[in-house]
Amino acid sequence: MLFRSALKNKEMPGESSYYLGKIFLMGQEMKKAYKYFLMAFKYESQNSELPKDFQTCIEELKNALPFDEFHELYTQTYQKGIFPIPCIYYRIKNLQNRLEFSEILSTYENVKDAPSFRMGRRFYSDSLAFIEYYAALAYVKVANDMIKAIEAAKLSIRADSNLTVARKLLQTLQKKQETALNGFLTPARKSFIDRDFNSSEELFTKALATDPSSQEAREGIERSRLAKQSFISLDEAKKYAAEARFELALKKLKFSITAYPDNFEAVNLREEIKTKIQEKLNIQQREEETERNEEREYISSIAEGNNYLSGNDFLRASKAFSRALEIKPESPKAKSGLEISLAKLEIYKKFQEGMKHLEKGDYRAAIEVLKEVQI
């Protein structure tokens, strides 16, 4: 037969398997049809009729075979690592009847990302919704994993929006999640107001673990970290101010206020320092001039680094890009230039090491080292 020959020669095995299954399905040879339809799933056939025909086939077998034989059929299919949704549906349904939620969870984790399980999801939407629903229950009962349970419940509703039990489960889970989330957010807000930023960061982190979609928790972690650094810089600024080292104090205060604009203690101290030194210098002009100098130095350092890089002077290039990075820590040009120059410097060092081995006549060591050199 043409399709068997094509399958034997591995010519479009998915499509050949499907058509062989279709022929046996039309001839009412359901077990043979089942065999070849499984091969079509295994080889990821793209035929749009496969889900419907396989459903017809497995339903015929379900009605024709004794329960134990049909159970053995879809169990062996699972054990072979082929996971058509109808087979997984009957497996999950049987496990659910026996309340074996651990095995349900194990099965779902095993199949959920498999290509054969992802085929025909629209056609099998009812069965898929059932599977996802019981997976959600298993995540709660077995793993106590609220996040994965909610995700599975949402997938169940996406597959079948009319599955009431999935909607009720999702509502219940989301209420529990909200309660747990607020149990962390409320004390986190208080800790933040009390300037206990270590505690607030820890609580916001727990809140985010409870609900990864919580924007307040995500922002709270960042605000706590920045506020903590802000007050550390404020303490350093106070020390410099007490020593009349106003320039250093202002630099610390600048970072402190940028990190946490609501640090009014830092804002007030900055104004006090500006008032003290107003008669000696114009702070604003000095800051502007400093920024212009930094920009000029940054541009100069980038240009210098590129020139050294072009001239294969990787050590000087890395120093130039490092200076640029000190001025603008987030500069993509400086970061990229430094990474390239350091990488090439490391290659050059390896090359020199290999050449030293070569000069000593240690060819084996030279080859091993030079193998690592990628130009």
Side-chain angles (χ1 to χ4, degrees):
M1 184 182 289
L2 178 62
F3 293 125
R4 280 180 174 169
S5 175
L7 184 59
K8 184 177 180 180
N9 295 327
K10 295 185 177 179
E11 297 173 0
M12 300 180 67
E15 311 315 314
S16 300
S17 298
Y18 165 71
Y19 284 111
L20 280 168
K22 181 74 171 182
I23 290 169
F24 285 120
L25 179 67
M26 295 172 66
Q28 294 297 304
E29 296 185 65
M30 296 303 168
K31 287 189 176 181
K32 290 183 179 179
Y34 184 87
K35 171 186 173 182
Y36 284 105
F37 283 145
L38 284 187
M39 293 177 68
F41 276 100
K42 177 180 178 180
Y43 292 116
E44 300 181 36
S45 168
Q46 300 300 308
N47 195 294
S48 61
E49 296 297 311
L50 174 59
K52 181 183 70 175
D53 289 337
F54 184 72
Q55 183 70 31
T56 300
C57 177
I58 199 170
E59 288 295 332
E60 289 288 338
L61 288 169
K62 176 177 177 292
N63 294 331
L65 297 176
F67 173 82
D68 290 345
E69 190 174 343
F70 181 68
H71 172 72
E72 184 67 17
L73 181 70
Y74 63 72
T75 299
Q76 288 181 353
T77 300
Y78 174 76
Q79 292 170 346
K80 289 176 182 177
I82 307 174
F83 309 127
I85 289 175
C87 296
I88 303 305
Y89 166 79
Y90 286 117
R91 175 175 174 81
I92 296 292
K93 187 175 182 180
N94 183 54
L95 293 170
Q96 177 265 325
N97 288 335
R98 302 203 303 267
L99 300 178
E100 296 184 16
F101 285 97
S102 293
E103 193 61 31
I104 289 174
L105 183 58
S106 175
T107 298
Y108 181 72
E109 285 287 325
N110 193 32
V111 308
K112 63 186 178 72
D113 295 321
S116 55
F117 182 70
R118 305 190 72 81
M119 294 170 65
R121 294 173 75 87
R122 289 186 179 180
F123 183 82
Y124 299 129
S125 58
D126 290 348
S127 297
L128 182 61
F130 175 91
I131 294 168
E132 301 282 7
Y133 168 70
Y134 278 100
L137 283 179
Y139 276 124
V140 174
K141 293 178 178 292
V142 178
N144 194 27
D145 192 328
M146 188 78 66
I147 293 172
K148 287 188 176 180
I150 289 174
E151 180 182 350
K154 286 180 177 179
L155 290 173
S156 177
I157 295 170
R158 186 184 301 172
D160 181 4
S161 59
N162 295 318
L163 189 59
T164 306
V165 289
R167 287 190 171 278
K168 288 182 178 179
L169 175 62
L170 179 61
Q171 289 173 359
T172 300
L173 292 174
Q174 287 178 328
K175 285 181 180 178
K176 289 182 178 180
Q177 184 185 51
E178 184 179 1
T179 299
L181 177 65
N182 288 328
F184 291 119
L185 288 179
T186 300
R189 297 182 194 115
K190 184 178 184 303
S191 294
F192 189 88
I193 292 172
D194 293 341
R195 296 187 183 179
D196 187 354
F197 302 120
N198 287 326
S199 176
S200 67
E201 180 183 353
E202 181 181 351
L203 289 165
F204 279 127
T205 300
K206 290 179 179 179
L208 189 63
T210 303
D211 181 3
S213 67
S214 171
Q215 190 68 22
E216 181 181 355
R218 192 178 306 278
E219 292 176 354
I221 294 170
E222 184 65 16
R223 285 194 303 116
S224 296
R225 291 173 180 171
L226 290 172
K228 180 165 57 178
Q229 289 300 318
S230 174
F231 279 93
I232 290 173
S233 292
L234 173 61
D235 289 339
E236 293 173 347
K238 288 178 180 178
K239 177 183 175 182
Y240 287 133
E243 298 170 353
R245 300 166 71 183
F246 299 125
E247 298 261 353
L248 290 174
L250 285 173
K251 285 184 178 180
K252 291 295 181 180
L253 290 170
K254 182 178 181 181
F255 174 82
S256 177
I257 296 166
T258 301
Y260 183 44
D262 289 338
N263 189 341
F264 298 114
E265 190 176 346
V267 173
N268 292 335
L269 179 58
R270 182 182 63 178
E271 293 307 312
E272 289 176 13
I273 292 174
K274 282 187 176 183
T275 299
K276 290 179 181 179
I277 62 175
Q278 190 65 41
E279 295 178 356
K280 296 182 179 180
L281 57 101
N282 187 317
I283 296 297
Q284 185 175 1
Q285 288 180 350
R286 286 178 65 90
E287 288 180 349
E288 291 175 354
E289 183 62 27
T290 298
E291 289 177 2
R292 286 195 293 270
N293 290 338
E294 287 180 347
E295 183 65 23
R296 286 195 291 269
E297 186 177 351
Y298 167 76
I299 294 171
S300 175
S301 296
I302 291 292
E304 185 179 340
N306 287 328
N307 288 335
Y308 282 132
L309 202 57
S310 299
N312 294 329
D313 191 342
F314 307 126
L315 179 59
R316 290 183 177 177
S318 65
K319 290 180 178 179
F321 286 123
S322 294
R323 288 199 304 273
L325 205 57
E326 288 177 1
I327 298 168
K328 292 188 178 182
E330 300 303 321
S331 167
K333 290 182 180 179
K335 286 182 179 179
S336 175
L338 181 58
E339 288 173 2
I340 292 171
S341 58
L342 289 176
K344 289 185 176 291
L345 182 60
E346 185 63 26
I347 291 171
Y348 180 68
K349 288 180 180 178
K350 286 287 184 182
F351 179 78
Q352 286 184 318
E353 182 183 345
M355 294 306 295
K356 286 181 180 179
H357 286 304
L358 197 60
E359 289 172 0
K360 293 177 181 179
D362 191 348
Y363 302 115
R364 179 175 296 179
I367 289 171
E368 289 301 317
V369 173
L370 292 173
K371 277 181 181 179
E372 300 178 26
V373 177
Q374 299 294 326
I375 298 176

